């Protein structure tokens, strides 16, 4: 067992890349050995949300987010809201996520308008359910901020895999949001992210993997998994000039706070 404890607050063991016989159990085992005793699997679709909930019940220390990812946007109706709300009543479901905007993959304005509608709809649902949200924002920083300032007033949660500017990070933190950082922090082309990590109050930061994607250095290019969140935490410690223990202790506390896990 590891000397430090970490929470991977954003992962996808519900992804098809972990579907082979025994893969999930093995990944959970390796995570625990690395000190990652708790992890939150996020939903992208109704099917993957259901899987996240099932995994949360199959393993100690696993929790679930449920929601519709912007790349999977479809015109949600009341039956979908009701399904998400029913899952949300489960104590192992800790947020609506991941939800948000992604203007990188699909460039159609019509699709972006649909994404904004279902993002706003799920923000409203999260407020009704008194749950935090986990937000995906890729190449849509301006609209994400604008929606959180207007329709998202009264919501709380995490801007996951933060990729915006320092200036925008300051605005999100001022509004009470937490920021999650992932593998890209360890990349040579990490751009503005180290600057954000150097600045951010430590009680606003979370470490994540977003596995199976974006494995951190030195695992870059391989399938990512929750155990590797330690490399992200080590990079945070290096950038801030503090110990890994301090990063682990504070980000764990933050995870417990924002997602109300214990
Ligand atoms: Ni994700």
């Amino acid at each position: 067992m590891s000397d430090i404890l970490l929470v991977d607050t954003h992962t996808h063991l519900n992804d098809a890349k972990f579907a082979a016989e025994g893969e999930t159990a093995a990944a959970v085992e390796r995570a625990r050995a690395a000190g990652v005793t708790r992890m939150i699997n996020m939903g992208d679709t109704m099917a993957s949300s259901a899987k996240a909930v099932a995994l949360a019940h199959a393993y100690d220390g696993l929790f679930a987010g449920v929601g519709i990812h912007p790349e999977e946007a479809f015109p949600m109706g009341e039956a979908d809201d009701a399904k998400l709300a029913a899952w949300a009543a489960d104590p192992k479901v800790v947020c609506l996520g991941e939800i948000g905007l992604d203007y990188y993959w699909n460039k159609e304005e019509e699709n972006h308008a649909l994404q904004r509608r279902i993002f706003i709809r799920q923000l409203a649902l999260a407020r009704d359910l008194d749950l935090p949200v986990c937000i995906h924002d890729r190449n849509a920083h301006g609209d994400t901020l604008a929606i959180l300032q207007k329709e998202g007033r009264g919501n709380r949660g995490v801007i996951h895999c933060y990729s915006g500017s320092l200036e925008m990070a300051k605005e999100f933190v001022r509004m009470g949001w937490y920021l999650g950082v992932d593998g890209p922090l360890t990349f040579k082309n990490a751009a503005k992210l180290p600057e954000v990590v150097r600045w951010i109050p430590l009680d606003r930061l979370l470490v994540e993997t977003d596995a199976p994607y974006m494995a951190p250095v030195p695992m870059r290019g391989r399938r990512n998994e929750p155990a590797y969140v330690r490399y992200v935490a080590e990079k945070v410690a290096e950038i801030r000039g503090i110990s890994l223990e301090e990063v682990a202790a504070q980000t764990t506390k933050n995870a417990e706070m924002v997602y109300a896990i214990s």
Side-chain angles (χ1 to χ4, degrees):
M1 192 57 174
S2 164
D3 49 330
I4 59 146
L5 292 180
L6 289 159
V7 184
D8 181 0
T9 47
H10 187 119
T11 192
H12 299 276
L13 291 176
N14 46 345
D15 188 276
K17 290 199 164 65
F18 293 101
E21 181 71 31
E23 283 293 295
T24 305
V28 169
E29 218 31 68
R30 287 191 295 270
R32 286 175 181 157
V36 187
T37 52
R38 288 174 292 177
M39 48 210 103
I40 306 175
N41 287 306
M42 294 292 169
D44 298 304
T45 59
M46 285 295 180
S48 72
S49 296
K51 183 90 191 285
V53 175
L55 287 175
H57 284 277
Y59 295 91
D60 279 347
L62 266 61
F63 300 88
V66 295
I68 305 303
H69 189 288
E71 284 174 60
E72 305 287 347
F74 68 90
M76 294 175 68
E78 279 173 25
D80 302 305
D81 292 348
K83 185 75 203 166
L84 292 176
W87 277 322
D90 185 323
K92 291 207 100 176
V93 174
V94 298
C95 69
L96 288 200
E98 52 185 298
I99 66 174
L101 300 175
D102 191 312
Y103 294 171
Y104 179 79
W105 291 107
N106 189 323
K107 311 282 189 211
E108 302 292 326
E109 180 44 43
E110 201 180 324
N111 172 267
H112 296 177
L114 171 65
Q115 288 188 26
R116 288 192 291 272
R117 281 202 303 281
I118 73 156
F119 180 30
I120 291 166
R121 188 183 184 102
Q122 292 180 97
L123 286 171
L125 184 61
R127 287 196 303 277
D128 287 349
L129 299 169
D130 194 24
L131 273 186
V133 292
C134 179
I135 294 178
H136 172 106
D137 158 25
R138 188 164 187 199
N139 285 27
H141 305 320
D143 281 0
T144 300
L145 179 62
I147 286 174
L148 292 182
Q149 283 169 331
K150 192 173 169 226
E151 291 90 347
R153 281 178 63 177
N155 283 101
R156 65 180 192 279
V158 180
I159 314 296
H160 131 77
C161 198
Y162 186 73
S163 60
S165 66
L166 176 61
E167 198 178 28
M168 194 166 280
K170 288 181 176 174
E171 186 58 21
F172 280 128
V173 168
R174 197 190 61 75
M175 290 162 66
W177 292 87
Y178 289 76
L179 303 186
V181 292
D182 305 55
L185 181 66
T186 68
F187 298 172
K188 276 213 172 66
N189 60 351
K192 306 156 278 189
L193 199 48
E195 200 186 355
V196 172
V197 166
R198 209 170 289 122
W199 164 79
I200 193 171
L202 199 55
D203 64 0
R204 289 283 144 186
L205 186 68
L206 294 171
V207 287
E208 322 175 319
T209 59
D210 210 12
Y213 306 104
M214 292 187 300
V217 172
M219 300 300 176
R220 193 172 185 183
R222 292 171 58 170
R223 183 189 67 182
N224 200 0
E225 60 176 63
Y228 301 168
V229 80
R230 185 173 178 133
Y231 299 114
V232 178
E234 282 171 352
K235 192 68 186 181
V236 170
E238 180 195 317
I239 289 170
R240 295 183 70 107
I242 59 177
S243 67
L244 175 61
E245 286 73 11
E246 189 177 353
V247 173
Q250 186 63 51
T251 56
T252 292
K253 206 164 156 189
N254 301 343
E256 290 171 346
M257 190 74 101
V258 65
Y259 288 124
I261 58 173
S262 56

